[in-house]
Amino acid sequence: MDEPAWDAISTLPMVQYEPNAGEAPTERTEIRLAYDDTYFYCSMRAYDSDPNGVRATSLYRDRISGSDHLELLLDTYNDNETAYVFTTTPAGIRNDLEISNDGTGGTISSNTWLNRDFNTFWDAETTVTDQGWFAEIRIPFSSLRFQDTDGRVIMGLTVQRKVARKLERLVFPAVPPKTNFAFLRPSLAQKIVLTGIKPIKTLYVTPYVLAGHEQINALNDSGTGYDQRGEFQGNLGGDVKFSITNNLTADFTINTDFAQAEADDQLVNLSRFSLFFPEKRQFFQERASIFDFRTGGLSRLFFSRRIGLTATGEQVPIYGGVRLIGRMNTWDLAVLDMQTQRQDTIPSENFGVLRLRKRVFNRNSYLGGMFTSRIDTEGNSNLAYGVDGLIRVAGDDYLTLQWAQTFDSRFVDQAAADFKSGRLALEMNRRRRRGFGYTVGAIFSGPNYNPGVGFVDRSDFKYGTTALSHTWFRESGPFIWHKLEALGNAYLDNSSNYVLSSEYGAEWSFSRRNLDGGSVLVKKVYENILTDFPLAEGVVIPPGMYDFYRISGTYSMAVDRTVRTGAVLETGTFYDGWLHTLTLTPSWYQSKYFQLNLEYSYNYGIFDNRNEILNFHIARLRVGTALNRHISTNALLQYNGAQDLLSYNVRFRWNFREGQDLWIVVNSGLNTDRMAFTPNLPRTANRSILLKYIHTFIF
């Protein structure tokens, strides 16, 4: 950062993105870019009029936690859709993530455009002085994926500085806040041209060794109690990553293990449909967006949690597999093949995925296809194919379309010709948070649609949705923007066309000048229940047609505050009763050595006609501690009142260097209402302690 070579490079012209878009920075900021044949560099001299106000509230990898930071976005394929993001703070921690879908989403293509679990190899060093803080980022081109055309590489670039105490975000180029998180949209990035890049074809070999002990409680043969047994665990395996070319990477895995992945959140399902849990396992993270094939809402043709996990989240051992991801000219290519072991009544299975996608019409549009297979050793098979597209029609107006069809050997009466095993999703929306906005969508899902390697929340329906909105931006006053939206949707039965469920309402949302945000939503809900619907233990909604009204309000303080909270209050009639829900999400970044994050939800429902009461709490407490950037502990403590279960997941990490880690992971649970069951539950649920060492060799 103090090398004379940096002074010979011009600084980037930074402007405010928030709170006052387009205005000059309030703090002197010098950001410079450079590269050689193997690395891309970014340096920042972040001068500060109040050096004591510089914030560094975390020492844990991938956790910014309201710190000041330098952030670099690189659309390495120049596809205006995907990008890598690299962030560092005054404490020198590294945060990296992937962006897909141009950082946006609608009702069909919504959610998960931000992959926070992605990690790769790069370096960051920082220092804090009485003048401010200073940072340098070095990214090897071997950690990026890009296309070289006649010695030229075109990328999109966005650079940011965040002054946390002022809630001020500086950005280059001068990205206007026309959508949520516009500064993370690859299509709005500045185009840069690099020449003479000669990245090394790097081979990463990452073996692991694992040892531990697990305590299991199993019902005895007579069914009168539980027997406790202990099992020692030991395992060897590893991963290999090889960059075949600048834009084609192969990954191999043997005896795959995910012991260090964080436990799933405890959730309560107050709907009639399946809950969705995100993928947290590292092997499935890099360029995961290329495998993204949505078929409406949370449903998707490929869902990596189908591999090596049961429907309840229990691990199924994986023999190994291979993944190939890359780009050739305007084509994206991804191949995945994994083989699981037999476990109890679950046979050994092979999972295969082929994904192709090609840019068409313009730089913001593509057409693609996917094929998936799930074949077990007992002769059962599930095959699926799909075609999809994203078309930029004009300006910020986009058309999304998906068609998928499945073929399952267990459905002998399935007829492919009548589309009973198919699913079609269409959506037109405006990706802009200014002035008039809209979303119009439709889904058709056949009764036999069943992607064996995918996720489906509900099937056998027709669906339509419409949302119309208007957003106002204010140059002054308490609000940066506020939006009024009218929305509605309905699910219809395929055979009879009667309404299964619907929602209609209006929402007002806003962002304040201090970056707090909130909303108020009023809606009318209709549900047609055909069979008994168990809502919770002792609470069953009988068949019938129900109209009820709900109102909710949310408020969330700016994420850059060291002490902050969010709150959600929802109330109103619920089927033939009332349901009140309160959710609080306080956070305290006490220092870079210690932080607390709590998520608490209380649900109280009363159904007078049946004298039934729903009353339970859900709580998740995350405790983060760190001695330095290399040694840290993270604990996740959860209480699920609906299941009377208290559980904890504690992960100690000693990161010697990038790719070399020692993990100690402890998992356990306590049954808080043992006497409610016959036979009585053991006080302690299954418990395990695992030690895992990972070492990456780079060739």
Side-chain angles (χ1 to χ4, degrees):
M1 290 169 285
D2 56 358
E3 296 174 1
W6 281 118
D7 292 324
I9 299 173
S10 300
T11 61
L12 299 179
M14 309 296 291
V15 299
Q16 286 192 48
Y17 175 86
E18 55 192 12
N20 301 305
E23 293 190 7
T26 64
E27 300 290 350
R28 179 184 168 192
T29 304
E30 297 179 2
I31 297 179
R32 296 174 170 88
L33 305 174
Y35 70 95
D36 55 27
D37 55 353
T38 54
Y39 292 97
F40 189 92
Y41 304 90
C42 177
S43 75
M44 179 176 73
R45 296 172 182 171
Y47 297 98
D48 203 301
S49 57
D50 179 15
N52 293 326
V54 172
R55 288 186 188 170
T57 56
S58 174
L59 285 168
Y60 191 74
R61 172 77 185 262
D62 295 327
R63 194 169 296 172
I64 299 175
S65 305
S67 300
D68 285 38
H69 57 267
L70 164 66
E71 191 160 276
L72 177 67
L73 177 148
L74 290 173
D75 175 7
T76 59
Y77 278 129
N78 189 34
D79 60 9
N80 299 288
E81 182 190 3
T82 62
Y84 299 104
V85 177
F86 303 90
T87 310
T88 191
T89 72
I93 65 104
R94 289 167 298 145
N95 177 65
D96 39 14
L97 51 87
E98 282 185 312
I99 291 174
S100 60
N101 202 42
D102 195 23
T104 62
T107 57
I108 286 178
S109 56
S110 60
N111 299 315
T112 326
W113 56 265
L114 199 64
N115 179 6
R116 298 182 182 276
D117 294 311
F118 163 76
N119 284 315
T120 191
F121 289 84
W122 59 289
D123 301 300
E125 293 296 335
T126 61
T127 184
V128 180
T129 73
D130 58 2
Q131 293 182 303
W133 70 284
F134 306 86
E136 184 172 325
I137 289 174
R138 185 181 71 170
I139 306 168
F141 285 114
S142 58
S143 291
L144 305 176
R145 305 291 171 258
F146 55 88
Q147 288 200 115
D148 185 321
T149 304
D150 299 326
R152 300 171 74 250
V153 176
I154 302 176
M155 297 185 183
L157 173 139
T158 302
V159 184
Q160 302 174 49
R161 176 194 177 183
K162 188 63 183 279
V163 186
R165 76 177 185 282
K166 293 185 172 183
L167 305 176
E168 180 178 322
R169 186 184 303 275
L170 309 178
V171 65
F172 170 85
V175 177
K178 67 177 186 177
T179 64
N180 292 330
F181 305 104
F183 54 87
L184 292 179
R185 290 191 61 180
S187 64
L188 300 178
Q190 175 70 43
K191 303 303 178 184
I192 60 173
V193 179
L194 311 179
T195 59
I197 298 176
K198 298 177 181 178
I200 301 171
K201 292 184 179 180
T202 309
L203 176 68
Y204 300 95
V205 180
T206 308
Y208 76 84
V209 57
L210 180 145
H213 182 269
E214 184 175 14
Q215 174 187 299
I216 299 174
N217 300 306
L219 192 66
N220 59 28
D221 294 337
S222 62
T224 58
Y226 288 85
D227 294 332
Q228 187 179 99
R229 69 175 188 269
E231 295 182 357
F232 287 96
Q233 296 185 352
N235 220 343
L236 295 170
D239 301 332
V240 176
K241 178 187 290 291
F242 178 59
S243 299
I244 301 172
T245 66
N246 299 335
N247 54 356
L248 189 62
T249 303
D251 293 90
F252 304 89
T253 180
I254 300 173
N255 212 14
T256 316
D257 178 80
F258 308 105
Q260 71 271 29
E262 185 185 58
D264 288 328
D265 289 350
Q266 289 285 338
L267 300 175
V268 171
N269 193 356
L270 295 180
S271 76
R272 293 175 287 151
F273 311 105
S274 302
L275 289 173
F276 178 85
F277 292 91
E279 178 63 84
K280 297 183 179 181
R281 298 171 296 175
Q282 185 61 35
F283 179 80
F284 296 104
Q285 294 303 323
E286 183 177 0
R287 288 218 71 201
S289 62
I290 193 174
F291 289 104
D292 199 24
F293 193 112
R294 306 300 175 86
T295 54
L298 294 172
S299 297
R300 56 204 67 200
L301 189 58
F302 171 64
F303 183 39
S304 57
R305 282 180 63 103
R306 290 287 177 256
I307 305 172
L309 290 172
T310 66
T312 58
E314 300 297 322
Q315 288 196 23
V316 177
I318 298 176
Y319 283 122
V322 60
R323 179 181 60 187
L324 184 69
I325 296 179
R327 171 168 292 185
M328 292 170 286
N329 297 319
T330 57
W331 285 91
D332 284 316
L333 166 70
V335 178
L336 177 70
D337 188 82
M338 305 286 287
Q339 184 74 38
T340 61
Q341 302 180 32
R342 182 180 184 89
Q343 178 167 289
D344 300 327
T345 60
I346 302 174
S348 176
E349 295 182 287
N350 179 267
F351 298 81
V353 184
L354 170 64
R355 176 66 154 140
L356 291 171
R357 196 167 59 184
K358 177 179 173 58
R359 190 186 302 183
V360 295
F361 306 135
N362 53 60
R363 67 181 190 176
N364 299 96
S365 304
Y366 73 82
L367 294 176
M370 176 177 279
F371 174 79
T372 69
S373 64
R374 182 173 184 172
I375 304 171
D376 66 34
T377 54
E378 296 180 355
N380 299 310
S381 66
N382 181 287
L383 307 178
Y385 78 91
V387 292
D388 67 333
L390 174 69
I391 310 299
R392 183 184 182 185
V393 179
D396 294 308
D397 297 328
Y398 286 78
L399 171 66
T400 304
L401 53 93
Q402 296 108 359
W403 162 258
Q405 192 169 16
T406 64
F407 305 87
D408 197 307
S409 62
R410 290 163 292 189
F411 295 161
V412 295
D413 60 341
Q414 173 176 285
D418 60 7
F419 303 114
K420 287 185 177 180
S421 63
R423 186 168 175 130
L424 174 68
L426 301 170
E427 178 186 272
M428 188 79 182
N429 76 323
R430 176 164 292 175
R431 296 183 173 185
R432 185 176 68 205
R433 189 188 61 192
R434 186 183 293 272
F436 174 71
Y438 69 91
T439 296
V440 180
I443 303 172
F444 165 81
S445 184
N448 293 334
Y449 177 72
N450 177 38
V453 198
F455 176 84
V456 178
D457 52 0
R458 64 191 293 177
S459 58
D460 194 14
F461 65 86
K462 292 188 284 284
Y463 169 83
T465 183
T466 300
L468 303 175
S469 66
H470 195 281
T471 304
W472 294 267
F473 271 81
R474 303 301 186 195
E475 298 295 332
S476 60
F479 298 110
I480 296 177
W481 61 265
H482 63 104
K483 179 174 73 172
L484 186 62
E485 183 173 34
L487 59 152
N489 63 72
Y491 289 86
L492 279 68
D493 180 76
N494 273 328
S495 56
S496 63
N497 287 323
Y498 61 72
V499 178
L500 298 171
S501 60
S502 66
E503 290 187 5
Y504 301 94
E507 182 179 34
W508 177 64
S509 55
F510 61 88
S511 176
R512 296 183 59 199
R513 192 68 57 184
N514 63 1
L515 302 188
D516 290 1
S519 65
V520 177
L521 171 65
V522 179
K523 64 181 179 180
K524 175 184 180 295
V525 183
Y526 169 81
E527 292 285 351
N528 188 349
I529 306 298
L530 303 179
T531 60
D532 283 349
F533 168 34
L535 190 62
E537 185 178 354
V539 180
V540 178
I541 305 298
M545 292 179 287
Y546 298 89
D547 285 295
F548 50 96
Y549 298 85
R550 307 287 293 162
I551 182 171
S552 62
T554 70
Y555 192 87
S556 180
M557 298 173 67
V559 296
D560 298 304
R561 301 180 188 273
T562 55
V563 179
R564 63 179 298 270
T565 191
V568 179
L569 178 62
E570 183 175 356
T571 187
T573 53
F574 190 68
Y575 295 97
D576 57 344
W578 286 77
L579 177 66
H580 315 286
T581 300
L582 172 66
T583 301
L584 299 174
T585 55
S587 298
W588 180 34
Y589 305 133
Q590 188 269 338
S591 71
K592 61 185 177 182
Y593 304 103
F594 183 78
Q595 56 187 248
L596 297 173
N597 300 86
L598 175 66
E599 299 172 59
Y600 168 76
S601 180
Y602 175 59
N603 293 270
Y604 180 78
I606 184 167
F607 303 88
D608 289 331
N609 293 340
R610 303 188 307 279
N611 196 29
E612 295 175 349
I613 293 178
L614 182 151
N615 186 7
F616 58 82
H617 307 259
I618 298 289
R620 285 187 292 273
L621 176 64
R622 286 180 167 87
V623 182
T625 63
L627 293 177
N628 50 47
R629 286 187 291 172
H630 302 285
I631 300 176
S632 61
T633 301
N634 279 268
L636 172 60
L637 292 83
Q638 302 189 81
Y639 173 70
N640 188 330
Q643 298 180 8
D644 295 307
L645 179 66
L646 176 67
S647 64
Y648 58 86
N649 166 238
V650 182
R651 299 176 300 142
F652 168 83
R653 182 188 187 188
W654 189 344
N655 174 231
F656 303 97
R657 62 170 178 82
E658 186 66 18
Q660 184 181 359
D661 293 282
L662 174 67
W663 291 88
I664 300 175
V665 182
V666 180
N667 292 290
S668 187
L670 297 174
N671 295 306
T672 59
D673 192 8
R674 301 168 52 213
M675 305 306 172
F677 299 87
T678 303
N680 296 339
L681 296 175
R683 179 171 299 279
T684 303
N686 294 350
R687 174 185 297 173
S688 66
I689 179 169
L690 299 170
L691 185 148
K692 183 177 181 180
Y693 177 70
I694 304 168
H695 193 111
T696 299
F697 298 92
I698 304 176
F699 301 95

